[in-house]
Amino acid sequence: MPQYPPLNSQDDDPVGKPQPRRKEAAVAAAAPFVPPNLNLPPSLASSRVERLVRERQLRRSERASASEDAIDEDDAADQPQEQPPADNISLEHQARDDNPPPSQQQQEDLPADQGGGEKQRLLVVANRLPVSATRKGDTQWSLEVSAGGLVSALLGVKQFQVIWIGWPGVYVQDDVGRQSLAQALEEKGFVGVLLDEATVDQYYNGYCNNVLWPLFHYIGLRQEDRLAATRSLQSQFNAYKRANQLFADAVIKNYQEGDFVWCHDYHLMVLPSYLKEYNSHMKVGWFLHTPFPSSEIYRTLPLRAELLQGVLAADLVGFHTYDYARHFVSACTRILGLEGTPEGVEDQGKITRVAAFPVGIDSERFTHAVETEAVKQHIQELSARFAGRKVMLGVDRLDMIKGIPQKLLAFEKFLEENPEWRDKVILVQIAVPTRTDVLEYQKLASQVHEIVGRINGRYGSLTTVPIHHLDRSMKFPELCALYAITDVLLVTSLRDGMNLVSYEFVACQNVKKGALVLSEFAGAAQSLGAGSILINPWNIIESANAIAEALNMPEEEREERHRHNFMHVTTHSAQVWAETFTRQVLLFSFLFLNSRTYSTSEMNDSILEAELRTLHIPPQLPTEKAIANYSASKNRLMILGFNSTLTAQVEAPRGRAPDQIREMKIRLHPNLKEVFNVLCTDPKTTIVILSGSERAVLDEAFGEFDMWLAAENGMFLRHTQGEWMTTMPEHLNMDWVESVQLVFEYFCERTPRSFVETRETSLVWNYKYADVEFGRVQARDMLQHLWTGPISNAAVDVVQGGKSVEVRPVGVSKGSAIDRILGEIVHSKHMLSPIDHVMCIGHFLSKDEDIYTFFEPELPFLDAAVFSSKLQDKRVSKSSSKHGSSRHAKSHPATMSPDRKRSEEEQLIEEAGRWEGSSVLDLKGENYFSCAVGASKRSLARYCLNSSDEVVTFLSSLAAATETFPKKESFKKSGWHSPTPRSPRVVTVSN
């Protein structure tokens, strides 16, 4: 019967000794956390956002002060290899031989409060203690403490006194040995749970490693093994519950009122229920360090319900990614019939909060290590050893889930298709052996060695080989040096809880800034996906192409990708992870009781639904009719959007996931440059680019053409031959910006791969590249934060896009700005002839679709007599906005020219000139073409085009129809061809 590796998130060192607890500690722990006054904007006063933002700023200030007292970890101690590591423990903690234990002074100092006061106690319960115990005599024990990810995380949690509870990894039969071991562990700050060999064999090697571990990693057993496991499953599960009860007894024995109990991993899934049975008011959290499978996989477990019920007894359940949390909620819903809520799972009025808490690393340790002399010496040696060759690196345990064979086959495919790289690249693969006594792992090792030998024999030479394969771990300085000189890191996990090797690589790459090729099945893909090349490791061709892309990546792109990843690794450290989880448990009750849906949000939803009922899916643009009308017109106005309208579509390389770094850079479609050169030289055509982008973006894309640019939804305007001017309304209130930006940054930290776009007149939170469902959940939470906090009394609009939330002042929209823009254009061009053709094309948000209705010729235009009578009234500009279609001729002077000081008579004469130019806007129904870009998009526009490529094709047809159009041969040489107009069609969708 195959065995699978025990993944213990507890292979870590202790934090400190337990200290005596005063009665005041329990009282302080029961009280809600009150952060100090951090001078936030008044708009955040007395709100949930205020508290969350204050906590975040407090954590940052604490970490900044704590960084001054960095721990010196130069002295190393060997880590035993008998205990395989957990998914969330990085290879620096998994494989190296020199894990330094904290000094005795550090252990004694940790429980003490910075101010000398007593702390609340945190009971960390894990299957294995971060210690290796060796018996030296009847009453003597040698304890070797190993540093690990969980210990490093808890070092940053200053508000708790940490006590570890777990199995020390040895079997002790005699009472004298048990007592002496317990005393030795207590001196180190540990509480030992002593298990007998039979229990460990049934609970640990049996149910945990042969049932839960393969199930959670989507690994199926062979039929005969499954039957054998089924026959012994009940006895293994009984041992599992018996072991969990022993852990519960140890917790209860050491529990004091006000303590917080944090249970870890799949070894202790029923422990929370045992603890709550003892004391229903005990604060209990549970965190899973491996993936949680989809409900369809999990429901195949025979004893599935009891494990879920055991976990649901906890107050807070944490996972690495939103996917795992969603799978857990789905399993509770489908198997237990409970109700999933945005907060978690509800069972008869009790809410168990379920959330994602991505773990991190102690990034400062790696960044500081690279600067040490020992690591620099290793870097010099390795650089000389691999001089003239690009270094690719793989660092994994020799495990089925790590995808080492897939990595080697992809590298072989790369060498096969790129012969020029065979003497220029080398792959260093570190494969740390684990469970060498298990047949399946022996077979995996033989398979890996066979592939390595074949590749080296095929592409190697007498002096060099393409693969350096090491079946051993590495010391910490050597590992950091190897990370630092690596050009490309390959992570090809087939299923991984997090995989912090990628984090360690990024932390050591602040000089070289190498590329990261990351499996989409690793939990780190959701956190580092922005700066990585994501791959499906099962697709060997795709992985080989990703290797080529990483090796040939331009330096500028590598630096930008590294910047995104480095920022995430350094801000989402292991300390932040532990601190966030513990704070969430303490504040959960307060948060839940104070989170409710306000009538404002309900009202907005009702209004939105009513507006959606008025929208329709417009038919396809009749290109032949539009081109004919365009050719026959004498004075044309063309208003075009930019993003998703005139931009080049960025296709994911080789069918992979969208590339965030490349897509975030908005670029003009290359086929439009010659088209705009033609359209802009036509004196009958006036082109306005109306976009929400910043001014610099429009300058870069359109600065070479003769056209008008309106940035930030029309709040800034310039002709490409002039300077930028503002069209913003007077007295525009922007006091809300600081408080809203704090909320956006808070949700950026909570939502991996989301980002904030800061503009002069608006703020945008974009979650386009985040997990779709998780982004929507976070967006809903953000809207509740905004409406009940920073914008509750502010004159702003919240505009929801497909995957974005934008906050802008009231009245800022493309439709409200176009009248001011049109008035300035008419005045600047001294336009007297009627504008007889208007075309408006764009991929606009619902808030900005008022621009489509602005030009609709629904009412008759004012004739000269009416205008003359109105001209006698000095309030013509104010009253004109109330007269139907006179909105086409709003003529109040734009605020872009405040320095013009004129008398009332001069202003009135200029008003008349503007009215004369814009009031002759001669639009009939057949002369106006409004067109929304996007397939099956409900819109107020008359027509639609499915994509930016169709927009480019249509604009090329208009260029071909202009009188100033050059010979068509020039376009044919450049690859352009005149498209064949298509008949109009109606786009319909099914509900």
Side-chain angles (χ1 to χ4, degrees), residues 72-76 98 365-383 474-485 508:
D72 184 8
E73 296 179 331
D74 293 338
D75 297 332
D98 59 338
R365 182 181 186 193
F366 287 87
T367 55
H368 293 163
V370 176
E371 301 299 327
T372 61
E373 291 301 325
V375 175
K376 288 182 178 179
Q377 183 178 354
H378 286 296
I379 291 177
Q380 292 178 356
E381 295 174 356
L382 292 174
S383 299
M474 296 189 69
K475 294 184 177 181
F476 181 61
E478 296 176 346
L479 184 63
C480 291
L482 191 55
Y483 281 143
I485 61 100
C508 294

Side-chain angles (χ1 to χ4, degrees), residues 84 498 618 748 807 820 847 939:
M498 179 55 69
C748 263
V807 179
R820 298 188 293 269
K847 173 71 176 179
S939 173

Side-chain angles (χ1 to χ4, degrees), residues 498-511:
M498 179 55 69
N499 194 301
L500 297 181
V501 170
S502 54
Y503 280 60
E504 297 173 353
F505 168 75
V506 171
C508 294
Q509 280 280 316
N510 205 27
V511 175

Side-chain angles (χ1 to χ4, degrees), residues 92 149 230 234 266 278 332 352 365 414 478 508 533 657 678 694 711 765 778 780 786 807 860 867 896 976:
E92 178 262 319
T230 302
Q234 188 61 52
Y266 58 92
Y278 167 75
C332 294
T352 298
R365 182 181 186 193
F414 165 75
E478 296 176 346
C508 294
I533 302 177
V678 174
E694 297 175 292
W765 180 67
Q778 295 293 80
R780 288 196 296 267
L786 291 175
V807 179
F867 173 71
M896 62 186 69
W976 179 88

